[in-house]
Amino acid sequence: MKISWFDRLYVGEKAKKKRYRIIRGIRKSIPRPDIYVIIPASNGNNILDIYPTAELFAPFFRKEEILILGIAAGYWEALEVAGHVIHDMYRITDGFDLSAFLEEGSR
């Protein structure tokens, strides 16, 4: 599995306190069920997916390339972080164009 990080990584308030420990844990494949990641959706019907880090290391993801847009401590915080991503995406692209938003974020 190849993990890449969004240039402007979104981080929840509770996750900010342990941001570097969370990132190091994900890089070292240490699953933590209380930590969630926000990634682009794996299907065409949604914009984002929210997964606990424990699921990232499941066989399904082993051959995938994953772009992490945000991290959060807890599911409710993950919903808030995903809301911030969607809000910024709409503001920047005047719609829900994830590709344009990701290009803008990498500048």
Side-chain angles (χ1 to χ4, degrees):
M1 163 176 53
K2 182 178 186 272
I3 295 177
S4 50
W5 302 83
F6 189 52
D7 290 339
R8 295 180 298 160
L9 183 69
Y10 288 80
V11 181
E13 286 300 315
K14 287 189 256 177
K16 275 184 186 174
K17 297 173 188 166
K18 43 192 169 183
R19 173 184 181 166
Y20 297 106
R21 194 171 352 147
I22 291 169
I23 292 171
R24 186 175 59 237
I26 292 170
R27 286 185 174 148
K28 291 184 176 191
S29 300
I30 299 170
R32 293 201 36 205
D34 60 326
I35 302 299
Y36 288 77
V37 294
I38 294 85
I39 63 175
S42 57
N43 66 37
N45 297 325
N46 301 325
I47 299 171
L48 303 173
D49 285 339
I50 299 172
Y51 289 106
T53 57
E55 283 190 38
L56 286 181
F57 311 113
F60 172 77
F61 285 109
R62 286 200 183 126
K63 295 178 183 173
E64 298 293 318
E65 192 170 315
I66 298 171
L67 171 64
I68 297 178
L69 302 173
I71 55 175
Y75 183 71
W76 294 108
E77 183 170 270
L79 293 175
E80 289 177 9
V81 171
H84 291 298
V85 173
I86 296 295
H87 176 268
D88 289 350
M89 180 189 317
Y90 190 82
R91 184 176 48 79
I92 290 169
T93 67
D94 291 325
F96 298 106
D97 186 351
L98 183 61
S99 298
F101 176 70
L102 295 176
E103 284 180 27
E104 186 69 31
S106 64
R107 290 184 188 172

